[in-house]
Amino acid sequence: MAVSGWFVALLALGIVPVVAFGDALALIGWLAIVGAVGAVDLALAGSPRVVTLARELPARVRLGDTVTSSLTITNRGRRGIRGIVRDAWPPSAGAAPTRARISIPAAERRSVTTSLTPFRRGDRTASHVTIRSFGPLGLVARQATIAEPGVLRVLPAFSSRKHLPSRLARLRELDGATSVQVRGPGTEFDSLRDYVRGDDVRSIDWRATARRSDPSAGAGPRLTIRTWRPERDRRVVIVIDSGRTSAARIANEPRIDTAFESSLLLAALASRAGDRVDTVIYDRRVRGRIQGATGAELLSRMVSTMAPVQPELIEMDWAAVPELVRSVTSHRALVVLMTSIDAPGASRGLLSVLPQLTRRHLVVVASVTDPGTTSATHERGNRTEVYRAAAAERALLDTARVSAAIRQLGADVVTGTPDALPPAVADRYIALKLAGRL
């Protein structure tokens, strides 16, 4: 049972006879009258327990987008239901409105529409619906909470996809500049064409030449050569650290979300370039693995796997990473480690396994940096700002020391703010392609 503000106001009116007549019996009588009226109003209210609910909800939505949840309420009782319904979505689902007024005659149904604009990634769940049905006077209501579960999976925003067209254009330019038709080991056959002066005679395909003839030269054969292109089926292995350091928020975004953005942009770019991309989310056990997917399926599986993953408040087990990479591929690959390098103590495990990885693979370590740290070094107006600037300088020095140690062990380092890191990782991938290292 629940009471409305009108019921409280009606009870407050009982103060008037007490003040006017100074008689407590008048107050008791007034309370009895109000209670009787409330009991009648409650008896005439429709029961919310006889309703049936049906929910229509999209299975998933991208972070920041808006979808609509429709809740259909069917009144199976003999009295109409007039009141308020609340669909219990968590605050992070961004539900609006949170409450709706309803009026459902007997044996009829009504729909309540709620707009959802989630601002956190993961599964947003509504477990129940609360219905409050008032009587005809609107003083007292019957209330019931009915289980009607609904789950909306919120996928990573992939806002860094805006950088994809420009990087693809650079990749096409790179492909035209470096995919010169050459002959040599480790290359893929591309096509056949006529021999021209200056071509390598070792590229002549004598079988294809024997099958062709030049009509303008009578029955003489027309020389045909094979053209080759660099191998495209390279391996890119992305390892995302989901340990405790990935829970820190940089510019109001968790580090792991920035790692997801960088991984999605790199995967989209490498897949378009013809490379094979595998992704593993790991701390002390595998939280997600995407292998064997290409094209649109790759990104679809990546966002679906990443959506429910949250940082674990445990240390990353770097000692298991070399074996983890070997379980993905036994060939030389570009291994991208999405982690944090701003603390020398926390990076000790990473530095200990880098020699094993760089011995067989090309390794890039990507880490997000806090723009507030850099700006703090320039603010020295008072004592507090001076101490903050000193701490910021020490943090930047620690990051530089770890970066230098990583490069000394044969790996590469990419750092950037949450907005700058995804395109920076994509640019490093393109640079490695241009240098012929990948």
Side-chain angles (χ1 to χ4, degrees):
M1 186 186 77
V3 298
S4 68
W6 291 109
F7 184 81
V8 176
L10 196 61
L11 284 175
L13 287 176
I15 300 175
V16 176
V18 174
V19 174
F21 305 105
D23 187 1
L25 292 177
L27 177 61
I28 295 174
W30 178 253
L31 292 177
I33 293 173
V34 172
V37 172
V40 173
D41 195 35
L42 180 64
L44 295 177
S47 174
R49 298 186 181 278
V50 297
V51 303
T52 57
L53 304 176
R55 189 192 300 276
E56 293 182 7
L57 180 69
R60 57 186 193 172
V61 63
R62 184 181 289 120
L63 181 65
D65 288 353
T66 300
V67 295
T68 299
S69 171
S70 179
L71 182 68
T72 301
I73 307 172
T74 304
N75 182 6
R76 297 185 292 107
R78 291 178 295 176
R79 293 192 182 96
I81 294 177
R82 182 175 60 87
I84 300 173
V85 59
R86 179 179 182 270
D87 199 355
W89 286 99
S92 58
T98 57
R99 292 171 174 82
R101 293 194 172 274
I102 56 172
S103 179
I104 312 174
E108 292 191 16
R109 67 181 62 181
R110 295 291 186 271
S111 293
V112 175
T113 300
T114 304
S115 295
L116 302 175
T117 309
F119 54 84
R120 286 188 62 187
R121 177 183 47 78
D123 290 339
R124 307 273 76 82
T125 304
S127 56
H128 56 265
V129 176
T130 301
I131 300 176
R132 182 175 291 178
S133 175
F134 287 94
L137 298 179
L139 299 177
V140 186
R142 297 184 179 187
Q143 181 170 303
T145 298
I146 305 170
E148 182 60 29
V151 179
L152 177 66
R153 174 155 290 188
V154 184
L155 307 178
F158 193 19
S159 55
S160 60
R161 65 184 182 277
K162 62 187 177 184
H163 301 290
L164 187 58
S166 61
R167 269 60 186 183
L168 287 175
R170 290 177 56 186
L171 200 60
R172 285 191 291 269
E173 294 174 2
L174 173 65
D175 192 51
T178 60
S179 292
V180 182
Q181 310 306 326
V182 296
R183 181 182 185 277
T187 58
E188 295 179 352
F189 171 74
D190 184 67
S191 62
L192 295 170
R193 65 172 175 83
D194 291 342
Y195 174 85
V196 296
R197 181 174 296 179
D199 284 335
D200 190 345
V201 295
R202 294 175 296 177
S203 299
I204 297 176
D205 188 326
W206 296 106
R207 291 187 178 182
T209 300
R211 291 194 296 266
R212 303 177 66 187
S213 61
D214 188 355
S216 62
R222 184 168 54 182
L223 294 178
T224 303
I225 67 168
R226 288 174 174 243
T227 59
W228 306 80
R229 62 182 177 188
E231 291 176 353
R232 299 174 63 86
D233 188 15
R234 305 295 179 132
R235 301 297 295 262
V236 178
V237 180
I238 304 172
V239 179
I240 301 174
D241 175 7
S242 58
R244 65 173 184 84
T245 58
S246 66
R249 300 185 72 88
I250 305 297
N252 201 32
E253 178 178 281
R255 275 179 170 153
I256 195 170
D257 283 17
T258 305
F260 287 165
E261 286 285 329
S262 304
S263 301
L264 288 169
L265 181 60
L266 175 60
L269 188 63
S271 179
R272 296 284 186 91
D275 294 338
R276 295 179 58 184
V277 181
D278 302 302
T279 305
V280 181
I281 306 170
Y282 183 79
D283 41 65
R284 287 188 175 273
R285 65 180 178 88
V286 176
R287 307 289 175 177
R289 184 190 291 262
I290 305 97
Q291 285 186 249
T294 57
E297 181 191 0
L298 172 63
L299 292 183
S300 177
R301 287 180 56 184
M302 286 183 69
V303 295
S304 297
T305 303
M306 292 172 174
V309 176
Q310 300 297 334
E312 298 289 335
L313 299 182
I314 55 179
E315 291 291 341
M316 172 73 169
D317 182 14
W318 285 107
V321 171
E323 182 59 34
L324 183 67
V325 174
R326 276 193 293 271
S327 70
V328 175
T329 178
S330 58
H331 301 286
R332 178 176 172 81
L334 169 64
V335 178
V336 182
L337 305 177
M338 302 285 182
T339 186
S340 169
I341 60 170
D342 56 357
S347 301
R348 191 173 294 114
L350 168 65
L351 297 175
S352 65
V353 302
L354 278 180
Q356 301 178 55
L357 292 172
T358 55
R359 192 178 302 121
R360 298 197 50 168
H361 306 287
L362 180 63
V363 180
V364 173
V365 179
S367 176
V368 62
T369 57
D370 189 352
T373 303
T374 305
S375 62
T377 60
H378 305 295
E379 299 173 0
R380 306 183 183 185
N382 52 50
R383 182 186 303 174
T384 301
E385 291 181 350
V386 168
Y387 278 108
R388 185 181 296 114
E393 292 282 4
R394 178 58 185 267
L396 294 177
L397 181 60
D398 288 342
T399 302
R401 288 171 55 197
V402 176
S403 299
I406 291 173
R407 293 189 178 96
Q408 201 169 31
L409 293 172
D412 204 353
V413 180
V414 180
T415 59
T417 62
D419 290 333
L421 184 62
V425 172
D427 290 341
R428 186 58 53 89
Y429 167 79
I430 295 174
L432 293 173
K433 282 275 195 183
L434 180 61
R437 299 178 62 190
L438 180 61

